Amino acid sequence: AGAAPPTAPTFSVGDVVEANFALEGNYYPGRVAAVGDDGSLDIAYDDGEEESGVPTSAVRRTADVDAEADDDDATAEPPPDEPPADDDDHALPLPIHEIFGIL
């Protein structure tokens, strides 16, 4: 008995994805706008472009991309320490009254 063939991923309207625009090899972020009876997808790209009849083989969930990015983050250096947001004394080069010539 042979192994079952791999099943194509299933997508639903609203899924956040990246799709291979015009099958040219470049993936762009968007959302599934519709799922055709044949399983192909209509994609509404974040930049305003739309594409119909996209095969599921040309679409990947952003979670797949995030997992790849997480692997890269494991070796990345931590971000530098930033001053607390409420530390207004260090946000400006001079005290505010000197900047505006008040008092």
Side-chain angles (χ1 to χ4, degrees):
T7 58
T10 56
F11 295 93
S12 299
V13 172
D15 283 354
V16 177
V17 297
E18 284 190 341
N20 183 351
F21 184 75
L23 302 178
E24 294 178 349
N26 297 313
Y27 283 79
Y28 298 98
R31 290 185 180 269
V32 175
V35 178
D37 292 336
D38 62 354
S40 68
L41 307 172
D42 291 358
I43 305 295
Y45 292 95
D46 290 355
D47 66 359
E49 292 287 330
E50 295 179 358
E51 189 174 23
S52 298
V54 181
T56 57
S57 61
V59 180
R60 60 189 182 196
R61 287 183 171 72
T62 55
D64 297 339
V65 175
D66 291 343
E68 291 173 14
D70 288 344
D71 292 342
D72 294 340
D73 290 344
T75 58
E77 293 185 28
D81 291 333
E82 295 183 23
D86 61 348
D87 190 4
D88 291 338
D89 292 338
H90 299 291
L92 301 172
L94 299 169
I96 194 80
H97 69 275
E98 289 182 26
I99 292 175
F100 292 104
I102 302 170
L103 298 174

